[in-house]
């Protein structure tokens, strides 16, 4: 049988036939509502009713069971009691149905028998290829085929926005509101309890869906973080994704163990994940769809500098206040812009940003001010606030705004305050897809959302490569040995000396520590280190040493060391709870007259794994509450972005007469901490506080690590503890050709973009045609980004390199991309013309096939032009089955079963 890929949700979301189990004639029931909606929606497929008690329902013939239908339905809608579900699923499997939506409530608590029954149903359905939506689902809608397979009272308008909702009630409310506001949908999916189909697979479908331009999500939680983020990243590369999340849970009990735990809010990891995935989060219901509309417009990436043009001083001030709240800058206009505005405007204009044209402003004044602000290089976007004044002409101003928006690439947000006189101007702007608002604050928030979206898009494009090879490798063996020794001793909170030893193993500059068991040993250590020194209690029982008087700073002499040692012991004895003193740590007193104190932390989130945090440090860290968060792995760009989001970042430049701090040193510590997160899956929490940074560099003064209890976490090249898969360095290898040429094979990196472009340009016309099936001569910018900035969890590109006097040259590449079923991947391979017939293509494909097998994939497939006989011979020798493509006689489908027992058909 020939292999043909079809998205596994296709039959469920875009069915050719629907069967409704439990449809009835009783108003007020789910079965009644869903049948009426399917019929009233003008569904263009066939509709069947399953009800053994009636011959027909709602004018539609009724069948006793699914197995009695003349043909297999694509979609089965279940509107019956929970106890009937196992038999319905068995019938759906027997009748070869495509998908099943459970519209009724079912017990889903882990301690309920219903949960066990649902799990059994899920396993049965998965094995048979039957996909399940729900339970507790409102249903689904696909206007392109006239399908309203829900029990919502609201209708639906066709459009290009897709809605994925975890809550049926929320989806129903959105539909009711959207109909009145003329918002249309390509797809609506109410996921319910996600027994089977979840956000990841639904996002995968919508990413490929040509009818969907933007995606909005309402969710309350995430189950499989890596799968969710991988799908979200793939979607956000192509279409705007806007998220509204509810259910902000309480911080975990571990928060008391570290400052990082106290400061990291329960939603910080989710926010960090969304930023990294290129999506944008909104806080309210109405923002969800307005954001989707204006993000799908033609606006290009912008900064955060806003110009406000208005004919009302008060609304201008309101806009500036809100801009400050959301992190925007109402940037001073350039002197040349001011000069040109002076020539174009009446003498009484504000001569500043906001550009207040005063109450007597005419349309030509707005037109001139908008055009000149658009020209100003320091302005990233405009908010135009129009109030109804005697001299104003709102309709003309709206028409001028429409023209200005069509000419420029900077976002223009329109705020027309009022009602009766503003209806027609607002219609003009809405028809032109210009974001419109009735008050200044949401208009400013809209610009902030656009700016945040494009900032997040830049974060999405970051794919950190390995530090090893660029910098010296860490001593991971020593670090893991320290962790195992602590675990063997029954401790999950490491001593400061142990934590610093781990940091040192990862090449992070730290102040050395000597643990003294007596006052004499402390004096000896201090003399050896050099005065002044700091003394700290060394105890497995103390979380925050200064809270019990366990820290003595700036000790200058031997007698001072003795006295400090004794004070620490006395304070420990007077502590509210018993404290076992394991010694006193002696370390150099780090001093810098211009040093800034930072705190770098790590916290293991229950869903998203390790999260890196940064903010102001020192003893008052919890008072400052300055913290930004990011998901590892990081690269230089991501580290700089993390630093920029903190308040303490403003002190790292020249500040109060101090020289600028050495920010690259802070970036270096962040990158090494990121590497620790990847390589040490046992880290539960980490405080590095403070990191002292000045003009010369950064050094760790104090640190504390908490490791997970229980056995050591497994170390794997796939990094299962990470939400975002790091660079798979373990897939790199070397080979020697028959003529002695050394070839390196490794996964592609973002910095390979120029090399990849040069490789494609050097290919012959025939090789390019065989690879891309068209006359492409070079990769477009978007293709280049897509080929080199990849998600290593769902795709892989292996490049073959030879190194000459001018550096490495790419001579081949093989890649696979997983399709939505998470079991199948599509591959492509091409070798430079001068290097063909030398075994490089075979070696690349062998490595790629092995990597796909290790990933657990079941089938690899690809397309080869029939005239590419050399490639078809290679595929045959590698074990691929070759089939004619029924849709294109010039093309061959080649299919390889990857796992034993998989037929590949």
């Amino acid at each position: 049988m020939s292999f043909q890929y079809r998205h596994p949700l296709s039959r469920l979301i875009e069915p050719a036939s629907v069967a409704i189990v439990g449809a009835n004639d009783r108003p007020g029931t789910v079965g009644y509502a869903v049948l009426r909606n399917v019929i009233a929606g003008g569904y263009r497929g066939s509709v069947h009713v399953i009800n053994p008690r009636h011959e027909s329902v709602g004018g539609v013939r009724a069948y006793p069971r699914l197995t009695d239908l003349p043909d297999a339905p694509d979609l089965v809608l279940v509107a019956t009691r929970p106890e009937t579900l196992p038999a319905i699923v068995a019938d759906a499997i027997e009748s070869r149905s495509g998908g099943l939506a459970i519209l009724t409530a079912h017990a889903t608590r882990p301690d309920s028998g219903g949960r066990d029954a649902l799990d059994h149903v899920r396993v049965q359905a998965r094995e048979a290829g039957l996909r399940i939506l729900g339970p507790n689902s409102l249903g689904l809608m696909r206007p392109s085929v006239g399908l309203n397979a829900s029990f919502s009272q609201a209708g639906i308008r066709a459009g290009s926005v897709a809605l994925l909702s975890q809550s049926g009630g929320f989806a129903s409310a959105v539909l009711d509101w959207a109909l009145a506001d003329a918002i249309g949908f390509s797809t609506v999916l109410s996921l319910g309890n996600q027994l089977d189909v979840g956000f990841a697979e639904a996002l995968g479908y919508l990413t490929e869906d040509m009818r969907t331009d933007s995606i909005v999500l309402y969710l309350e939680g995430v189950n499989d973080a890596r799968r969710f983020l991988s799908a979200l990243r793939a979607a956000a590369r192509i279409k705007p994704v806007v998220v509204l999340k509810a259910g902000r849970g309480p911080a975990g009990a571990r928060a008391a163990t570290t400052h990082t735990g106290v400061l990291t809010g329960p939603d910080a990891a989710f926010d960090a994940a969304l930023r990294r995935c290129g999506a944008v989060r909104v806080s309210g219901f109405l923002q969800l769809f307005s954001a989707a509309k204006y993000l799908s417009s033609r606006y290009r990436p912008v900064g955060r500098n806003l110009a406000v043009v208005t004919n009302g001083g008060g609304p201008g001030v309101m806009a500036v206040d809100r801009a400050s709240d959301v992190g925007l800058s109402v940037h001073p206009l350039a002197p040349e812009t001011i000069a040109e505005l002076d020539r174009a405007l009446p003498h009484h204009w504000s001569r500043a940003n906001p550009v207040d044209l005063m109450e007597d402003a005419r349309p030509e004044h707005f037109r001139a001010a908008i055009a000149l602000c658009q020209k100003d290089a320091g302005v990233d976007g405009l908010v135009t606030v129009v109030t109804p004044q005697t001299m104003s002409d709102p309709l003309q101003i709206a028409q001028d705004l429409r023209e200005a928006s069509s000419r420029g690439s900077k976002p223009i947000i329109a705020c027309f305050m009022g009602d009766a006189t503003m209806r027609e101007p607002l219609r003009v702007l809405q028809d032109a897809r210009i974001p419109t608002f009735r008050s200044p604050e949401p208009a400013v928030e809209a610009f902030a959302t656009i700016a945040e979206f494009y900032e997040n898009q830049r974060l999405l494009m970051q794919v950190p490569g390995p530090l090893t090879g660029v910098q010296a490798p860490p001593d991971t063996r020593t670090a893991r040995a320290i962790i195992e020794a602590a675990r063997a001793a029954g401790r999950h909170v490491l001593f400061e000396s142990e934590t610093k030893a781990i940091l040192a193993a990862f090449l992070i500059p730290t102040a050395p520590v000597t643990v003294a068991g007596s006052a004499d040993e402390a004096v000896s250590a201090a003399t050896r280190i050099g005065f002044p020194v700091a003394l700290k209690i060394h105890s497995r029982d103390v979380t925050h040493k200064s809270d019990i008087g366990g820290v003595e700073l700036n000790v200058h002499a031997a007698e001072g060391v003795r006295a400090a040692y004794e004070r620490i012991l006395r304070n420990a004895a007077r502590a509210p709870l018993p404290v076992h003193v394991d010694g006193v740590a002696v370390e150099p007193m780090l001093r810098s007259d211009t040093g800034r104190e930072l705190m770098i932390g790590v916290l293991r989130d229950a869903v998203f794994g390790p999260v890196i945090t940064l903010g102001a440090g020192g003893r008052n860290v919890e008072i400052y509450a300055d913290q930004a968060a990011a998901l590892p792995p990081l690269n230089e760009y991501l580290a700089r972005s993390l630093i920029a989001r903190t308040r303490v970042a403003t002190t790292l430049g020249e500040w109060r007469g101090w020289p600028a701090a050495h920010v690259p040193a802070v970036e270096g510590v962040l990158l090494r901490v990121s590497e620790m997160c990847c390589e040490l899956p046992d880290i539960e929490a980490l405080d590095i506080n403070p990191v002292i940074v000045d003009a010369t560099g950064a050094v760790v003064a104090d640190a504390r690590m908490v490791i997970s209890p229980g056995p050591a976490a497994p170390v794997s090249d796939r990094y299962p503890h990470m939400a975002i898969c790091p660079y798979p360095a373990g897939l790199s290898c070397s080979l020697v050709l028959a003529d002695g040429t050394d070839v390196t094979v490794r996964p592609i990196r973002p910095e390979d973009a120029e090399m990849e472009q040069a490789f494609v340009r050097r290919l012959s016309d025939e090789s390019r045609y065989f690879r891309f099936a068209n006359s492409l001569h070079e990769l477009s910018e978007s293709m280049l980004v897509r080929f080199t900035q990849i998600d290593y969890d769902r795709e892989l590109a292996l490049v073959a390199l030879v190194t000459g006097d001018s550096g490495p040259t790419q001579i081949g590449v093989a890649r696979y991309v997983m399709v939505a079923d998470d079991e199948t991947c599509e591959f492509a391979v091409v070798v430079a013309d001068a290097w063909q017939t030398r075994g490089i293509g075979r070696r690349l494909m062998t490595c790629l096939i092995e990597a796909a097998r290790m990933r657990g994939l079941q089938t690899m497939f690809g397309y080869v032009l029939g005239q590419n006989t050399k490639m078809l011979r290679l595929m045959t020798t590698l074990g691929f089955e070759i089939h004619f493509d029924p849709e294109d006689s010039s093309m061959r489908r080649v299919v390889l079963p990857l796992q034993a027992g998989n037929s590949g058909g």
Side-chain angles (χ1 to χ4, degrees), residues 72 159 175 219 263 408 434 594 713 768 826 893:
L175 290 167
L219 54 80
L263 293 170
I434 294 173
T594 61
R768 278 197 297 268
E826 182 176 358
R893 287 195 184 93

Side-chain angles (χ1 to χ4, degrees), residues 463-468 633 678-679 717 719 724-732 745-752 792 797 799:
V463 184
L467 280 182
T468 302
C678 297
E679 301 300 332
D717 284 343
Y719 301 95
I724 297 176
C725 185
Y727 181 83
L731 297 179
S732 302
V745 176
R746 62 162 174 80
I748 203 164
R749 300 172 185 163
E751 58 265 30
D752 294 332
Y792 296 112
V799 290

Side-chain angles (χ1 to χ4, degrees), residues 79-140:
T80 58
R81 297 187 308 275
E83 59 267 25
T84 65
L85 183 62
I88 293 170
V89 170
D91 281 357
I93 292 171
E94 184 178 345
S95 65
R96 299 185 179 275
S97 303
L100 188 124
I102 307 173
L103 308 183
T104 46
H106 288 248
T108 56
R109 297 189 314 274
D111 60 345
S112 68
R115 177 76 252 183
D116 292 339
L118 283 175
D119 284 340
H120 180 68
V121 160
R122 177 181 55 81
V123 171
Q124 273 189 311
R126 265 286 181 165
E127 290 176 349
L130 176 72
R131 307 315 308 274
I132 296 178
L133 183 70
N136 303 340
S137 169
L138 178 73
L140 66 146

Side-chain angles (χ1 to χ4, degrees), residues 709-725:
V715 179
S716 165
D717 284 343
R718 288 206 55 228
Y719 301 95
H721 65 293
M722 308 277 290
I724 297 176
C725 185

Side-chain angles (χ1 to χ4, degrees), residues 591-595 658 694:
R591 293 185 299 177
S592 174
D593 293 336
T594 61
W658 292 4
D694 59 17

Side-chain angles (χ1 to χ4, degrees), residues 210-406:
M210 299 299 291
R211 300 184 186 277
T212 298
D213 291 337
S214 56
I215 303 169
V216 295
L217 273 67
Y218 171 81
L219 54 80
E220 295 162 2
V222 174
N223 295 323
D224 186 337
R226 178 175 283 196
R227 194 163 178 239
F228 171 72
L229 295 188
S230 185
L232 185 58
R233 287 164 66 85
R237 287 179 189 274
I238 299 172
K239 304 171 182 181
V241 181
V242 185
V243 179
L244 175 61
K245 178 181 179 292
R248 298 171 183 261
R254 66 183 171 194
T257 307
T258 62
H259 290 300
T260 301
V262 173
L263 293 170
T264 305
D267 239 20
F270 184 81
D271 282 338
L274 281 192
R275 279 194 299 271
R276 188 67 177 275
C277 290
V280 67
R281 183 177 188 179
V282 295
S283 58
F285 176 86
L286 296 180
Q287 292 173 302
L288 195 62
F289 289 93
S290 60
K293 283 197 295 185
Y294 53 71
L295 289 177
S296 62
S297 69
R298 57 183 176 80
Y299 295 135
R300 298 275 64 81
V302 295
R304 303 187 74 84
N305 295 328
L306 180 66
V308 179
V309 178
T310 180
N311 65 343
V317 173
M318 293 166 65
V320 172
D321 286 345
R322 190 59 187 143
S324 177
D325 292 340
V326 295
L328 299 177
S329 170
V330 181
H331 198 265
L333 300 174
E336 54 270 27
T337 303
I338 298 287
E340 290 190 68
L341 286 167
D342 274 335
R343 290 190 287 272
L345 300 178
H347 70 278
H348 55 270
W349 79 280
S350 62
R351 287 184 171 77
N353 187 11
V355 179
D356 185 357
L357 305 175
M358 304 300 174
E359 286 80 359
D360 58 351
R362 299 177 181 273
E364 59 266 28
H365 300 143
F366 272 96
R367 189 162 54 244
I370 290 164
L372 291 170
C373 287
Q374 281 183 306
K375 281 175 53 181
D376 192 314
V379 172
D380 296 311
L382 293 83
V383 167
T384 302
V385 184
V386 181
T387 63
Q389 306 289 349
T390 303
M391 305 297 289
S392 65
D393 182 347
L395 181 57
Q396 183 60 54
I397 294 170
Q399 292 167 345
D400 291 341
L401 273 177
R402 179 181 60 192
E403 295 303 312
S405 179
S406 67

